[in-house]
């Protein structure tokens, strides 16, 4: 797995975020020769450029949800413009009122965007499911899902392949003192969990109701569910490199399997 964008809410390029990166959520997961992508934040722009240069793209694209910071990269994702490419797009938070195609169409509407969704010439298939369903996108790859606690809904994912399990759990808010049963069920015994760690426990009081969690809650979930590695993710754009270094040090002391996700980081479970 490789991180292309690790920020929450809004991209934050600049000299104070250059080491951890300023792009919003985008994660590449490879299962053998299969490509799975999670979210299309601004990190999807550089990722798409590299993918398009490498050849034909045939990928499954999973969305945690459709807030701007997770879809803004789609109109700039180069493989979506190339006719021979194939993209299966999955979303679990929109039924029954909306569909993924409808929301992307809406985002690429005059006067919000200069060209409509139809300019994307790849073969795109939309799959709207209900968070909690188990998906079998390709032979040998099982994707389990669970609903998360986030305004307008969001979906957590667990990818199982070749005896390994990797979880992608963002955006979600916890309740102080109660571990989220949906998340515990999803991440049980997983090798890696990527987790919404927008805030610290010390900051959290100010942000109750904003739909995000803390790295300390990620540690508690991993400890309870026996997860090996916690990837601290969806960083607050106001947390500069110095703040992230402090979080990395404190997190490692609290849980030896904790790593702070940064652009370019690769993990192999
Ligand atoms: Zn977000
Ligand atoms: Zn969100």
């Amino acid at each position: 797995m490789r991180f292309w964008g690790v920020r929450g809410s809004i991209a934050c390029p600049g000299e104070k975020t250059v080491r951890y990166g300023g792009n919003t959520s985008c994660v590449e997961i490879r299962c053998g020769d299969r490509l799975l992508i999670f979210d299309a934040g601004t990190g999807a722009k550089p990722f798409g450029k590299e993918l398009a240069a490498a050849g034909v793209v045939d990928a499954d694209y999973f969305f945690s949800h459709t807030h701007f910071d997770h879809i803004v990269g789609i109109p700039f994702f180069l493989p979506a413009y190339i006719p021979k490419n194939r993209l299966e797009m999955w979303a679990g938070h929109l039924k029954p009122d909306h569909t993924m195609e409808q929301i992307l169409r809406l985002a690429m509407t005059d006067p919000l965007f200069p060209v409509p969704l139809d300019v994307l010439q790849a073969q795109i298939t939309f799959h709207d499911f209900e968070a909690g369903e188990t998906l079998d996108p390709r032979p040998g790859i099982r994707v389990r899902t669970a609903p998360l606690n986030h305004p307008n809904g969001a979906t957590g994912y667990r990818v199982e392949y070749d005896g390994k399990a990797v979880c992608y759990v963002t955006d979600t808010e916890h309740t102080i003192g109660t571990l989220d049963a949906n998340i515990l069920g999803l991440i049980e015994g997983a090798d890696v969990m990527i987790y919404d760690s927008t805030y610290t426990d010390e900051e959290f009081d100010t942000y109750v109701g904003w739909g995000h969690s803390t790295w300390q809650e990620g540690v508690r979930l991993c400890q309870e569910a026996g997860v090996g590695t916690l990837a601290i993710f969806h960083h607050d754009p106001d947390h500069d490199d110095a703040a992230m270094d402090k979080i990395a040090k404190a997190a490692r002391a609290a849980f030896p399997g904790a790593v702070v996700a940064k652009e370019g980081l690769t993990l192999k479970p």
Side-chain angles (χ1 to χ4, degrees), residues 142-180:
R142 172 145 294 183
V143 178
R144 293 171 54 197
T145 71
L148 302 178
N149 179 33
H150 194 62
N152 317 128
T155 304
Y157 293 91
R158 174 192 179 107
V159 179
E160 296 176 346
Y161 173 75
D162 199 22
K164 303 282 184 185
V166 167
C167 302
Y168 182 76
V169 181
T170 199
D171 297 13
T172 195
E173 177 168 343
H174 66 283
T175 304
I176 293 172
T178 310
L179 295 175
D180 187 318

Side-chain angles (χ1 to χ4, degrees), residues 160-239:
E160 296 176 346
Y161 173 75
D162 199 22
K164 303 282 184 185
V166 167
C167 302
Y168 182 76
V169 181
T170 199
D171 297 13
T172 195
E173 177 168 343
H174 66 283
T175 304
I176 293 172
T178 310
L179 295 175
D180 187 318
N182 289 336
I183 296 177
L184 284 177
L186 187 71
I187 68 173
E188 179 68 37
D191 298 280
V192 180
M193 174 175 69
I194 300 165
Y195 187 67
D196 179 345
S197 307
T198 305
Y199 307 119
T200 66
D201 272 0
E202 295 73 28
E203 295 165 333
F204 187 68
D205 281 351
T206 316
Y207 299 104
V208 170
W210 288 44
H212 298 290
S213 191
T214 70
W215 68 263
Q216 288 100 330
E217 187 71 7
V219 168
R220 290 186 284 268
L221 286 164
C222 285
Q223 285 172 334
E224 180 67 20
V227 175
T229 298
L230 166 66
I232 292 169
F233 183 74
H234 201 274
H235 313 315
D236 187 331
D238 288 332
H239 286 171

